[in-house]
Amino acid sequence: MLDLTYETPAPKVIAGAKHDWELVIGMEVHAQVSSKAKLFSGASTQFGAEPNSNVAFVDAAMPGMLPVINEFCVEQAVRTGLGLNAEIHLKSAFDRKNYFYPDLPQGYQISQLYEPIVGEGEILVDMGPGVARLVRVERIHLEQDAGKSIHDMDPNMSFVDLNRTGVALMEIVSRPDIRGPEEAAAYVTKLRQILRYLGTCDGNMQNGNLRADVNVSICRPGQYEKYMETQDFGHLGTRCEIKNMNSMRFIQAAIEYEARRQIKILEEGGEVVQETRLYDPDKNETRSMRSKEEAHDYRYFPCPDLLPLEIEQAWVDDIKASLPELPDAKKARFMGDYGLTEYDASVLTADTTSAAYFEQVVSACEDGKLAANWVINELFGRLKTDEKDIADSPLSPAQLGGIIRLIKSDTISGKIAKDVFEIAYTSGRDPEEIVETEGLKQVTDTGAIEAALDQIIADNPAQVEKAKVNPKLAGWFVGQVMKATGGKANPKAVNQLVAQKLGS
Amino acid sequence: MAELNGMTIAAARDALRKGDVTSVELTEACLTAVEGAGALNAFVHHTPEIARAQAAAADARIKAGDAPAMCGIPLGIKDLFCTKGVPSQAASRILEGFKPEYESTVSGKLFDAGAVMLGKLNMDEFAMGSSNETSVYGNAVNPWRRGNDEAALTPGGSSGGSASAVAADLCLAATGTDTGGSIRQPAAFTGITGIKPTYGRCSRWGIVAFASSLDQAGPMTKDVRDAAIMLSAMCGHDPKDSTSADIPVPDFEAMLTGDIKGKKIGIPKEYRMDGMPDEIESLWQDGIAMMRDAGAEIVDISLPHTKYALPAYYVIAPAEASSNLARYDGVRYGHRAKLSHGDGITEMYEKTRAEGFGHEVQRRVMVGTYVLSAGFYDAYYNRARRVRTLIKKDFEDVFAQGIDAILTPATPSAAFGLGEMSDADPVAMYLNDVFTVTVNLAGLPGVAVPAGLDKQGLPLGLQLIGRPWEEGDLLNCAYALEQAAGFVAKPGKWW
């Protein structure tokens, strides 16, 4: 495996009216644990069910009902922690975060404030070949999701759907190490990629299974470095938290807007107020939701219904042993074993399905570089046209491998291969059979090529004279031969013969 | 044979098995007694149809030879227990009309063993109180009176209805719950036996929560043997309660030998409170003498952090309660205030909770909210937790010295008059728990046993505190004390 080294990207600098400003961003990502049952009840987590159909007594906070931890969810949090090279806490504990809201039946959310299950970890955020930001993860804790309040069904009433209530979330909290809107989106992309590799969260942002709270502040160049040296937040600006973002595009737009808003305030001599803000994608602006003064006093305290969560090192070790190859390792291996560029390796390791497809193609054709070219340029392009996912590719890795094998054995040219690809893609037929049946085999018989060339020379004496003066015109004769043979002539043989006959 | 409803569980069990009596007969006797005892206001929901059906089923089981000890025994169930299809209101207006779709683990275990439910018993609202006066149903009344004085006395609280019903022979036994003394204090006030087992012995699942780290269910019975029999049926591991202990439940009754020779009984000097009535002090001395006479070794011990227990308790319990009671918001079940035009969610919460909760509950919710709030958390809640750890360690230290059980008064006084404390500072009422809260804070088992009468003829109780999970030994000590005290007095029937 290659040991890759990366350059740190430059922070985003925004020129204000008076100064340059840098961005400092920290993220709290809420990732729904891929679990069929909720964190503390056996109710289903199925998306899109009838309102209030996935609700256990404890989810509805009926009197006397008690939470019981779902061990599978704990395992997924540990797995995620291990996937982020994080410290796993063998002892953690649950706390209650108290506030009133109709979609929070208990009147508190069970979370882990004081003793989270996962401690310090890190995520390498790729920002293009050779460039990446190492973002520190502060902690991951398990907590309950809230339900959904519905205010637009009736003019006089609000409704509550408790299906989401109690669903397990992992809150993944980063340090303020992200330095620009693009990095923020790349951070979420990379985190989602890792979660999907691990299988601990499906990362579906439309369904709200992955949401981010984004903390944005700005500072003058040089301040961030002081913060990093001392870990003293005093060197940084006052942050605002933009809540509940569920699109990469909106994350970037919201940060961009928020940074400019803060710059304007500071340059006009004002002060940024620490507060929670909401992003409005229609107006592309953030709006104050509540200030620090209005902030809830959550009255956190240890949840007396649950004993501290104690797990065994041996169990953690077992989970560690079962971890899949993760994106960074896979990318390095693709580069090392198959000689791929970092770009190609990144594209192919974006998700496990693509990576697995690619590796099956390689094993069918034994040529990593060609396989990468064909998967990325031809297959992905074709799938995109059809709006299909790699998982639903009509062309199997064996078929694509077969096409590449035919190229490598000089049976067909690269150009013909594209035709074969199209036929195989649409019909599902075997590439060898296609070449055979359609008579697409490359002509390497120099006699036939020579005959065609002689005819062309005889028909075009003026061109021959010109070509003798200007050897670049040889290409015209090659083209004519290819045309005469229906593209099947071996281009190498044609080139050789043309050069020979024209004496250039 | 005494009146059927006056029987102990043990006597009834034996008579049922011999065929001398049927559960239906026992149940009818109790239903009649309940009917005639409206003045006690002990039962707040009557379930005669359920009782008769359960009694008939129990008789069939007994006939078939499949009869656990509790089979056919008519019980009252504290209103804090959720009982399927039966109003379960925690004596609060906020749970008006609430009938759970589920049965609490403890009541379920009793009914599975064949016990019969006569109805739901009065209590302080959400188990917050020491006199049963905070109940939405109005107070239960103690069947005992001071001599010929007709003044109504409190049965204690919060399990006041349970205590009144058992003392007045309306049922053979009752369930109670104890967060700071709610089984032991009313037991002492009414001359019956009540045990709060080790925290984690009884499942809390389906019991309306007051303070989750302190709440425990337990039996309230006519004597120690009954407490042993009923406790065995109530406890056991429940995977639905994460704080329930997965340890075997012994046959507590089998451990009642009455032999306590060589047992070391600790007498904590810190339980000798300033201003404690002489009668309590002399009762305690009598108890010490009885234990000594029974062959126990009496050892003076120190539990140095005792004086901090009550303040710590009145921080921790309200803190947990403020969170546990947040769910009563008028959104999903129970009472919802009638709203005015333009009222929003905040008004719904405020009006509903103002109407639904009584004053004592409101006071504790506010205290609890305050002690958990930013800026006060460390000074109150965290400090109280540290005190709790020290109190627990006090007990661990004396048990490590070889002490088997600790003997203390159960209450600082006999039952007081209803309304007597109404003008007092709420803290005066909280002092009722002074001998009992330490046991909840430390999670230990504690039992109250009637040991004598005061000058006015009111029962007084002593408390024995045991090692964790050793309820069998503790009950045996209580049994020896009961034998020695020979408490047989009953309240004269005036209701």
Side-chain angles (χ1 to χ4, degrees):
Chain A
M1 209 174 81
L2 286 180
D3 227 354
L4 298 171
T5 51
Y6 293 94
E7 260 179 56
T8 303
K12 165 111 176 178
V13 177
I14 297 179
K18 297 182 180 166
H19 317 285
D20 281 353
W21 297 91
E22 288 182 7
L23 274 64
V24 179
I25 299 158
M27 293 203 136
E28 294 162 22
V29 172
H30 292 88
Q32 181 178 328
V33 176
S34 293
S35 165
K36 290 196 171 74
K38 296 183 180 181
L39 183 55
F40 296 113
S41 84
S44 164
T45 58
Q46 197 205 339
F47 181 78
E50 273 290 294
N52 295 312
S53 59
N54 295 341
V55 187
F57 289 134
V58 68
D59 303 325
M62 301 304 280
M65 294 297 95
L66 298 171
V68 176
I69 186 76
N70 175 343
E71 189 183 313
F72 181 79
C73 294
V74 176
E75 184 182 336
Q76 302 319 302
V78 170
R79 178 177 284 271
T80 302
L82 292 170
L84 302 182
N85 288 319
E87 190 190 339
I88 304 300
H89 296 154
L90 296 181
K91 185 178 171 232
S92 63
F94 289 97
D95 304 296
R96 290 185 183 176
K97 177 182 182 178
N98 296 282
Y99 65 96
F100 281 93
Y101 208 68
D103 62 20
L104 187 76
Q106 295 170 135
Y108 52 84
Q109 175 197 36
I110 304 178
S111 181
Q112 297 190 297
L113 175 71
Y114 298 111
E115 298 177 71
I117 185 160
V118 178
E120 301 263 349
E122 59 189 29
I123 299 177
L124 188 68
V125 179
D126 313 84
M127 296 303 298
V131 184
R133 169 87 62 194
L134 191 67
V135 174
R136 294 168 300 162
V137 169
E138 184 189 321
R139 56 189 279 156
I140 304 175
H141 60 256
L142 278 167
E143 64 182 27
Q144 298 177 297
D145 203 351
K148 200 167 78 180
S149 294
I150 305 155
H151 301 296
D152 53 4
M153 269 173 66
D154 184 289
N156 299 314
M157 281 191 282
S158 289
F159 293 87
V160 178
D161 177 4
L162 299 181
N163 282 351
R164 274 198 98 93
T165 305
V167 164
L169 302 178
M170 296 178 280
E171 181 169 330
I172 302 155
V173 183
S174 87
R175 298 272 182 201
D177 292 355
I178 300 162
R179 305 302 314 282
E182 299 79 13
E183 281 186 31
Y187 170 82
V188 178
T189 305
K190 184 63 178 279
L191 175 57
R192 181 173 65 173
Q193 181 191 23
I194 295 170
L195 295 172
R196 285 176 166 169
Y197 265 62
L198 292 166
T200 56
C201 168
D202 72 11
N204 186 328
M205 294 182 86
Q206 276 92 48
N207 294 355
N209 297 353
L210 194 77
R211 312 173 320 248
D213 297 342
V214 189
N215 287 286
V216 181
S217 69
I218 54 164
C219 65
R220 299 289 304 279
Q223 291 299 107
Y224 186 80
E225 287 68 22
K226 287 184 192 161
Y227 156 71
M228 282 304 265
E229 241 170 67
T230 58
Q231 294 300 308
D232 176 359
F233 288 106
H235 295 294
L236 302 178
T238 304
R239 66 190 157 85
C240 290
E241 182 180 22
I242 313 167
K243 277 275 182 203
N244 239 354
M245 309 287 299
N246 65 348
S247 130
M248 304 288 184
R249 195 159 58 84
F250 294 163
I251 287 172
Q252 295 189 56
I255 293 172
E256 188 84 37
Y257 173 87
E258 180 58 24
R260 291 182 189 279
R261 186 186 72 86
Q262 293 182 12
I263 290 169
K264 187 159 180 281
I265 292 172
L266 292 184
E267 294 200 334
E268 287 171 357
E271 253 181 74
V272 174
V273 182
Q274 187 178 332
E275 61 183 356
T276 304
R277 299 180 69 85
L278 274 182
Y279 176 68
D280 178 344
D282 296 330
K283 296 190 176 154
N284 184 32
E285 63 180 31
T286 63
R287 278 199 301 269
S288 180
M289 201 172 142
R290 53 177 179 259
S291 70
K292 196 182 176 185
E293 288 71 38
E294 300 165 66
H296 293 298
D297 181 349
Y298 290 120
R299 291 169 285 123
Y300 277 100
F301 76 108
C303 181
D305 284 331
L306 293 160
L307 299 172
L309 181 59
E310 290 181 43
I311 56 176
E312 308 254 322
Q313 185 60 48
W315 189 59
V316 175
D317 293 343
D318 285 350
I319 297 170
K320 193 167 192 173
S322 76
L323 287 189
E325 184 181 39
L326 291 170
D328 292 337
K330 202 182 276 290
K331 187 172 94 176
R333 181 167 64 81
F334 281 13
M335 292 168 71
D337 289 5
Y338 306 129
L340 305 190
T341 62
E342 191 189 338
Y343 176 81
D344 284 358
S346 295
V347 172
L348 290 171
T349 55
D351 59 81
T352 49
T353 323
S354 301
Y357 188 102
F358 164 73
E359 292 212 84
Q360 285 171 47
V361 176
V362 174
S363 67
C365 71
E366 292 175 350
D367 190 319
K369 280 187 181 171
L370 270 180
N373 277 337
W374 277 85
V375 171
I376 294 171
N377 299 322
E378 299 307 321
L379 180 65
F380 285 176
R382 189 67 180 81
L383 290 169
K384 199 170 176 194
T385 312
D386 278 4
E387 294 181 346
K388 277 198 166 104
D389 193 81
I390 181 83
D392 310 316
S393 169
L395 187 74
S396 71
Q399 283 174 297
L400 186 53
I403 294 170
I404 297 169
R405 263 201 326 269
L406 290 168
I407 301 170
K408 285 181 62 178
S409 64
D410 280 341
T411 312
I412 55 174
S413 66
K415 188 169 176 297
I416 291 292
K418 290 186 185 181
D419 299 337
V420 177
F421 174 93
E422 185 58 26
I423 296 167
Y425 182 95
T426 45
S427 69
R429 286 161 60 191
D430 173 55
E432 269 185 63
E433 176 273 322
I434 295 167
V435 168
E436 203 62 48
T437 315
E438 311 293 331
L440 296 172
K441 250 188 198 158
Q442 198 157 234
V443 179
T444 42
D445 170 5
T446 44
I449 295 170
E450 201 174 348
L453 180 58
D454 286 347
Q455 187 62 48
I456 289 158
I457 287 172
D459 292 349
N460 298 284
Q463 284 292 89
V464 176
E465 288 312 308
K466 281 188 200 166
K468 281 182 178 164
V469 185
N470 181 6
K472 280 183 185 168
L473 284 177
W476 182 83
F477 289 92
V478 173
Q480 292 300 308
V481 174
M482 293 308 282
K483 201 171 161 188
T485 58
K488 287 180 285 178
N490 181 326
K492 211 160 46 174
V494 178
N495 274 319
Q496 272 172 8
L497 275 172
V498 169
Q500 209 179 334
K501 295 265 175 184
L502 298 179
S504 52
Chain B
M1 191 184 292
E3 286 180 63
L4 293 179
N5 49 302
M7 292 177 95
T8 60
I9 294 172
R13 171 194 60 189
D14 297 345
L16 284 164
R17 285 181 178 167
K18 271 194 258 166
D20 292 348
V21 69
T22 64
S23 176
V24 168
E25 289 164 350
L26 276 171
T27 301
E28 291 299 340
C30 289
L31 289 172
T32 306
V34 169
E35 205 122 305
L40 295 178
N41 198 26
F43 277 87
V44 292
H45 298 289
H46 299 245
T47 56
E49 295 84 6
I50 293 174
R52 290 187 175 111
Q54 285 174 329
D59 282 333
R61 263 177 93 171
I62 292 164
K63 223 174 192 175
D66 162 35
M70 294 301 295
C71 192
I73 306 295
L75 302 177
I77 304 294
K78 189 178 182 181
D79 201 34
L80 203 63
F81 291 78
C82 287
T83 43
K84 194 171 180 178
V86 175
S88 305
Q89 278 187 234
S92 179
R93 187 181 177 197
I94 206 141
L95 276 167
E96 209 167 57
F98 177 65
K99 290 183 188 179
E101 294 286 317
Y102 45 88
E103 186 74 47
S104 85
T105 298
V106 165
S107 56
K109 282 172 94 81
L110 288 168
F111 300 144
D112 287 348
V116 172
M117 175 167 69
L118 299 166
K120 300 299 282 289
L121 293 165
N122 209 345
M123 55 180 279
D124 279 298
E125 183 181 10
F126 282 103
M128 297 177 190
S130 302
S131 65
N132 210 137
E133 289 168 294
T134 69
S135 168
V136 72
Y137 310 115
N139 56 270
V141 177
N142 196 328
W144 293 82
R145 286 177 166 180
R146 294 177 184 128
N148 295 320
D149 185 348
E150 288 188 5
L153 303 182
T154 176
S158 68
S159 309
S162 303
S164 173
V166 174
D169 290 334
L170 309 186
C171 51
L172 271 57
T175 61
T177 63
D178 189 319
T179 304
S182 283
I183 286 176
R184 291 159 289 158
Q185 183 253 23
F189 276 11
T190 55
I192 65 167
T193 300
I195 179 168
K196 179 204 91 75
T198 313
Y199 184 80
R201 260 294 187 203
C202 285
S203 169
R204 294 183 298 111
W205 193 87
I207 300 175
V208 174
F210 163 12
S212 311
S213 74
L214 300 159
D215 297 344
Q216 267 294 294
M220 298 177 74
T221 57
K222 292 174 189 177
D223 64 17
V224 172
R225 179 172 300 279
D226 281 8
I229 296 169
M230 187 160 159
L231 181 61
S232 286
M234 290 169 75
C235 53
H237 179 235
D238 180 4
K240 291 190 288 189
D241 174 1
S242 307
T243 61
S244 157
D246 191 2
I247 53 174
V249 180
D251 178 353
F252 296 123
E253 187 190 10
M255 298 170 83
L256 303 181
T257 60
D259 179 6
I260 58 163
K261 280 192 196 70
K263 291 276 179 198
K264 286 190 178 167
I265 306 296
I267 309 299
K269 63 175 188 210
E270 291 80 5
Y271 282 58
R272 190 156 289 116
M273 303 278 173
D274 285 341
M276 193 161 81
D278 292 343
E279 284 179 304
I280 300 294
E281 173 64 34
S282 68
L283 178 82
W284 194 9
Q285 292 309 322
D286 290 350
I288 292 168
M290 291 177 211
M291 297 305 271
R292 188 184 286 118
D293 291 347
E297 184 189 336
I298 302 299
V299 184
D300 286 327
I301 59 167
S302 173
L303 299 167
H305 296 92
T306 301
K307 66 177 168 194
Y308 305 113
L310 204 59
Y313 173 84
Y314 276 98
V315 169
I316 291 169
E320 293 184 16
S322 71
S323 176
N324 282 335
L325 271 57
R327 64 188 56 200
Y328 307 108
D329 56 7
V331 174
R332 298 168 313 285
Y333 48 77
H335 179 74
R336 181 191 290 180
K338 198 162 160 20
L339 300 181
S340 307
H341 188 73
D343 281 352
I345 186 68
T346 306
E347 289 77 16
M348 185 175 106
Y349 288 150
E350 288 176 355
K351 290 183 177 180
T352 296
R353 290 166 66 83
E355 290 174 9
F357 290 141
H359 288 159
E360 183 58 29
V361 171
Q362 290 184 13
R363 177 176 6 253
R364 296 200 197 188
V365 167
M366 283 190 280
V367 167
T369 303
Y370 179 81
V371 299
L372 287 177
S373 57
F376 300 103
Y377 182 86
D378 282 329
Y380 292 101
Y381 183 75
N382 253 348
R383 186 180 286 183
R385 283 223 298 168
R386 284 200 297 275
V387 168
R388 184 176 187 173
T389 307
L390 293 172
I391 286 166
K392 204 168 170 206
K393 194 176 168 294
D394 282 354
F395 283 105
E396 284 165 1
D397 289 346
V398 298
F399 290 136
Q401 290 162 27
I403 296 296
D404 293 293
I406 297 161
L407 181 71
T408 78
T411 58
S413 73
F416 49 88
L418 285 160
E420 249 172 41
M421 305 278 276
S422 57
D423 297 331
D425 185 306
V427 175
M429 186 70 94
Y430 296 169
L431 283 171
N432 267 286
D433 302 332
V434 70
F435 299 127
T436 47
V437 285
T438 52
V439 175
N440 300 78
L441 288 169
L444 300 172
V447 58
V449 181
L453 296 174
D454 73 357
K455 285 195 286 283
Q456 295 175 302
L458 294 180
L460 295 172
L462 288 172
Q463 172 179 237
L464 280 159
I465 303 165
R467 297 163 175 270
W469 313 115
E470 295 191 6
E471 290 87 351
D473 269 353
L474 176 66
L475 284 164
N476 189 40
C477 289
Y479 184 60
L481 180 63
E482 178 185 59
Q483 303 279 56
F487 182 92
V488 289
K490 283 273 191 183
K493 189 169 184 302
W494 53 262
W495 57 89

